[in-house]
Amino acid sequence: MTADSPNAPRSVPELVVRAARDYPERGVVIYDGRGRRPERRRFGEVLAAARVAAGRLAALGVEPGDRVAVCLPTCWPWLEVWLGALLRGALPVAIAPGALLGSNEEHLLRLQEVLELLGGRHLVCRPRLERDARERATFGPEVTLATPESLAELPAGDGGSAAGDPEATAFLQLTSGTTGVSRAVKIPHRAALHNAHAIGQAVIRPLGVRTDDPEHAVVSWLPLYHDMGLVGCFLAGLFHGVEVVLLPSEAFLGRPRLWLENLARFGSTASAAPNFGFQFCVDQIGDEEVATLDLSGVKAAMVGAETVRPETLDAFAEKFAGHGFDPVAFRPCYGLAEATLAVTMDLAGRGPRTRAAPSGSGLAQRPVVSLGGPVADTRVVVTAPDGTPLGDDRIGEIRVRGPGLFAGYWGDEAATAAALEDGWLRTGDLGFVHDGELYVTGRLKDVLIVRGHNVMPEELERLAERATGGGGLYRAGAFSITRGGEGEEIVIVAEVAARGADELRRLGDAVRSRVGQTLALPVADVALVPGGKLPKTTSGKVRRERLRRDYLADRLPRLDGS
C-alpha cells in the first residue's frame, strides 16, 4: 500500500483501523518503566482501547477541536489517550512527562506555558504531577486535570469515528526549541501518513515484509512525545504492518542492552535513535552483557535528531561487529518537526559516508556525515540568503518542499509566514549538497562571528568534548557573548565527571588548547559543570540560548568555583 493508493487511509485514526483489519496478527509490545515486563496487544486491541479512551475523553468534557495535552511516559495509557483524542476529533499534543522523582515546579511552569500557548483545556498526566498541580493551583479552573486512573473510572460511551479530512490538523507537535521558546507545529493527517509511508518505504519495506511472515519489527526506545519515536517508529510500523516494540526511554537509560536484545529477537529489525543513543551503548554496555547477541538481523538503524558524528558510528560498528552488526545498516537522516519528521535519508543503504566541510564553513574542514537524499515526493535545495539555489559544495540555507510539510504554527501567523515562502519551508539549518545528498553543517542563527571568522557551535562543542572525554553522557555547549568593545567572545560549558581542582584546571586548559590549535581562536571562558546540568531538548540537543542566559545570570553549577 502506498500513501496515495485507493486503499490508503485518509486519516491517522483510519490508519489504525486499516492496520487492525489488514494485519490482524501483528501488534504492539510495550515494556514497563523498568524494562522488565513486556505486554503485547494486537493492532485490533490497540484500536478497541483507543475507542474506549475516546468515549472517556468525551465524558471528561473533551470536544472536537479541543487541545489535549498528553504528559505521560511511553505506556499503554499514552497510546490510548493520544489515539482516543484523534478519534474524538480533538488535537493531542504530547509533552515530556518530567522526572518521576524530585520537584515538579519547573516542569509545571513549562506545562503552563504550553497550555497557555495552545489555549489547552485538558491535561492528562501522572498522579504525582496532578497532585502537585492542584496543590500549587498552577492552572486555572478552565483546565481539566486527569490521570489514567481517573479516566478509567469514567463511562466509555461513543467518542467518535475514524473519518477525517486529510488536510485537517491531526495533532500538534512541539518543536525542539533549541534557539528559543518552543512552538506547536500543526501536522495534517496527510503529512503524518505521507511521512509514515515514506519512512517505511525506505527502511521497513527492504526488510522483506510479508503479511504471512511475522519475523520483522520496528524497535524503539524513543519516547512517543518525540516525533522520531511517534512517526518514525510507531506510525511507520502501523502503515507497513510490522510488529512495533516500544521501550520506555527510562528503561533504555537504565538497561541499554535491552534495546539490543530486542533488536536481536526478530528475523530482521529497523530502529531509530539520535547519535546519543549509539554513543550511550558504546560507553555503557560491557562485552559480557551482549556476549550471546546476534545483531545480524538489524537492517536499518536510522540516526538523526542531532548532529551525526562519524566517530560515534565507527565506535558502535567496531564494538558490535563481532555480534553481527553491519555498519551498512546505519541510515543517517535529516528531519524536523515542520516536515512532520523525515526529509532526507540514506535511501541507497550504502552505509555512512563523509565529506570534508567546504572552506569558510567554520567547521575547520572536518568530515561531515551524508544524510542521504530526499524521501519520496520531497525536494531539497540549498540557497543563498535571497533564495537563489546554490550549486554543489556551497553552504547555504536548507529549504524543503513536499507533502510532509506542516500546516503552520499554532496561533503564530507571523512565524508561519516567515517559515513558509512560496511553498518552501525555510528550515533555518545550514548545509550543502553533493551528488544529490545533503550534508548539514549547523544552524543559521547559531553561527558565531569571532574575530571576523564564522564559527559553528557544533565544531566548538566537538572539540571541547574530545578534550574532556565527553560526547556520550557528558556534553558541551558553545555560544558567544559580547563584552565592551571586544566583539563576540567564545564561551564553552562542558559537563565533566571530574571533581578535583587540579583535574578541573587541566580539563579547562585542554579545551582552550584544542580550540586554539584547531581554529586559532581564543576561548574567553570554559565553565565545567556536573553531568546532566546542560539544558537540553527532548531529543538531546543542547539548548544554547537557554544555556547562554543561565551563564549570564550566573545560574550554572560550576565545579571550578569561578
Side-chain angles (χ1 to χ4, degrees), residues 275 307-312 357 362-369 441 455-472 474-478 492-494 510-511 514-515 517-519 542 544:
N275 190 92
T307 301
V308 180
R309 304 185 179 219
E311 56 268 32
T312 293
L363 294 172
Q365 292 191 312
R366 70 169 172 85
V368 183
V369 175
T441 57
V455 185
M456 296 307 303
E458 288 88 350
E459 177 66 4
L460 295 168
E461 291 158 3
R462 182 182 70 91
L463 293 171
E465 288 169 5
R466 284 193 172 183
T468 62
Y474 299 95
R475 303 294 299 277
I492 297 175
V493 182
V511 171
R514 186 161 301 230
V515 172
Q517 292 175 4
T518 305
L519 301 177
V542 175
R544 299 190 185 101

Side-chain angles (χ1 to χ4, degrees), residues 275-290:
N275 190 92
F276 155 79
F278 295 96
Q279 186 66 51
F280 190 69
C281 289
V282 171
D283 295 340
Q284 298 297 311
I285 298 178
D287 292 340
E288 68 284 354
E289 292 185 272
V290 292

